[in-house]
Amino acid sequence: GNSVTQMEGPVTLSEEAFLTINCTYTATGYPSLFWYVQYPGEGLQLLLKATKADDKGSNKGFEATYRKETTSFHLEKGSVQVSDSAVYFCALLYGSSNTGKLIFGQGTTLQVKP
Amino acid sequence: DAGVIQSPRHEVTEMGQEVTLRCKPISGHNSLFWYRQTMMRGLELLIYFNNNVPIDDSGMPEDRFSAKMPNASFSTLKIQPSEPRDSAVYFCASSPRAVEQFFGPGTRLTVL
């Protein structure tokens, strides 16, 4: 079936360190892929997305490239800030664009220390 | 736009009581989703609607849970009777075409 697997957290980094959060997926066809971020006490917010192979999504210094050959969509940021501390969810869209639903990974907690 | 609105933000109730969670999606969005988030099980999709019609309710845990969407601007998730294991944060999300979902702030439910 369709699924998303993320690296386990928490990930603890110092400010200005390089971030990678791994995400791999299993899906039939060609799903769209997403990264969502959840700050403490809030709902999820879309961070970036990619809708086809080799697409790169980017936003707020974060990037992720849709790699079909490795079924991966790893999240990266060159220099993290304390304000990036949050839970990050990788997700894929299963089904059509009109009736599809998101399949989420388990989430990875990022803690950035000053 | 005010975004997705959920009420109440916090709910504390006793086991056996009926609980009703409410959601107002973003105007113009035609898909609505209800999720439950717990530490143990992560984020689970309970049910989603497209054009007010339930499309997939396979995530609804049991008959104690029910959801309705009487019109395009309102949805409810009801738990009757509630149990302590229902304690969680419940999110509502809406989408213009089920591609990008916009989440509400959530309702934190505690069942004693």
Side-chain angles (χ1 to χ4, degrees):
Chain A
N2 300 288
S3 66
V4 175
T5 302
Q6 295 180 228
M7 64 186 289
E8 290 192 15
V11 174
T12 303
L13 296 173
S14 297
E15 205 165 22
E16 299 184 358
F18 184 86
L19 169 71
T20 300
I21 299 178
N22 290 338
C23 171
T24 57
Y25 68 90
T26 302
T28 55
Y30 303 96
S32 295
L33 301 173
F34 305 81
W35 277 101
Y36 279 79
V37 58
Q38 184 179 26
Y39 298 103
E42 299 184 10
L44 280 70
Q45 303 173 25
L46 179 66
L47 180 59
L48 53 83
K49 65 181 178 183
T51 57
K52 61 182 186 295
D54 300 325
D55 269 1
K56 176 185 285 187
S58 61
N59 185 26
K60 300 180 180 180
F62 291 89
E63 293 183 341
T65 300
Y66 188 160
R67 302 285 189 197
K68 186 175 182 298
E69 64 276 11
T70 55
T71 62
S72 65
F73 192 55
H74 304 323
L75 182 69
E76 296 181 337
K77 186 175 185 181
S79 176
V80 293
Q81 305 300 312
V82 173
S83 57
D84 294 326
S85 298
V87 182
Y88 292 82
F89 293 90
C90 185
L92 67 81
L93 178 67
Y94 169 70
S96 72
S97 60
N98 287 326
T99 60
K101 62 183 183 181
L102 287 173
I103 307 295
F104 284 92
Q106 70 270 36
T108 301
T109 299
L110 170 65
Q111 298 174 339
V112 180
K113 297 185 176 181
Chain B
D1 198 318
V4 175
I5 299 173
Q6 291 187 247
S7 64
R9 292 294 310 276
H10 301 275
E11 176 78 29
V12 180
T13 190
E14 293 187 347
M15 182 176 62
Q17 297 298 305
E18 177 180 296
V19 175
T20 299
L21 311 181
R22 297 174 175 79
C23 175
K24 177 178 170 56
I26 294 172
S27 177
H29 287 192
N30 64 344
S31 295
L32 184 140
F33 305 79
W34 281 102
Y35 292 89
R36 177 172 69 177
Q37 186 178 40
T38 61
M39 290 294 293
M40 290 296 294
R41 301 174 68 91
L43 194 64
E44 304 172 276
L45 176 65
L46 301 177
I47 185 172
Y48 77 99
F49 297 82
N50 193 48
N51 293 323
N52 310 338
V53 175
I55 301 300
D56 184 348
D57 65 354
S58 60
M60 295 286 263
E62 48 196 278
D63 291 346
R64 297 185 297 105
F65 285 70
S66 62
K68 294 182 179 180
M69 191 165 187
N71 57 62
S73 59
F74 184 66
S75 176
T76 59
L77 178 67
K78 184 176 293 187
I79 308 172
Q80 166 65 15
S82 58
E83 296 182 2
R85 59 194 169 112
D86 301 331
S87 297
V89 180
Y90 291 81
F91 289 103
C92 174
S94 70
S95 173
R97 289 183 298 112
V99 175
E100 179 177 340
Q101 295 184 19
F102 295 78
F103 282 72
T107 295
R108 182 173 295 277
L109 173 65
T110 302
V111 183
L112 302 175

